[in-house]
Amino acid sequence: MIENSIIDGSLPEEGQAPSTNELAAFHRINPATAAKGLGQLVSDGILYKRRGIGMFVATGAREMLRGRRRENFARQYLDPLVTEADKLGIGVDELAAMIGGYRHAHAPSPTEQTSPTEWKEAR
């Protein structure tokens, strides 16, 4: 959720991330679980702590997350897609045309996103 907000720009680099309690209240989870997730983002270099102030999005976090997601996307979706296309005798150009036609016919619907403001309002 925080990662999505960083990627879509609703939580900008150097912007303050929601607190453990804000996240826990918004998602109705245990604060220890929220703290663990935030701690992982700090370990990954996505967030950093300012003592006594809170956690903030690191400079470069958006590109770091996009790069990670692209790698995962290729592994999770493209590898099996290309394997199946090969089995069916679908070439690269035909596959690209199929994807283009699909995107045109199925305009992406807006994803349900929550903003940092909504996290704070959930308190």
Side-chain angles (χ1 to χ4, degrees):
M1 279 120 264
I2 290 178
E3 288 185 2
N4 287 339
S5 295
I6 294 169
I7 288 172
D8 72 19
S10 62
L11 185 56
E13 293 181 358
E14 299 304 322
Q16 187 167 8
S19 71
T20 299
N21 291 332
E22 289 167 345
L23 279 176
F26 184 82
H27 295 289
R28 297 182 182 165
I29 59 174
N30 187 308
T33 302
K36 185 175 180 182
L38 289 170
Q40 184 62 53
L41 291 173
V42 170
S43 294
D44 291 348
I46 304 300
L47 299 179
Y48 66 92
K49 296 178 183 181
R50 286 189 190 162
R51 190 171 187 88
I53 299 175
M55 285 188 246
F56 293 80
V57 179
T59 300
R62 184 170 190 243
E63 284 308 309
M64 188 184 322
L65 288 170
R66 288 182 69 180
R68 185 189 311 166
R69 289 252 183 113
R70 285 173 184 239
E71 289 172 15
N72 290 337
F73 177 83
R75 202 171 26 260
Q76 186 174 0
Y77 298 104
L78 293 182
D79 290 348
L81 176 69
V82 170
T83 299
E84 186 66 14
D86 286 344
K87 289 178 189 175
L88 299 174
I90 298 171
V92 173
D93 292 338
E94 185 179 357
L95 184 58
M98 289 171 77
I99 292 170
Y102 182 86
R103 287 187 84 179
H104 181 71
H106 300 88
S109 61
T111 57
E112 206 170 281
Q113 297 286 330
T114 54
S115 70
T117 303
E118 291 173 294
W119 292 328
K120 290 178 182 175
E121 291 169 357
R123 279 193 272 177

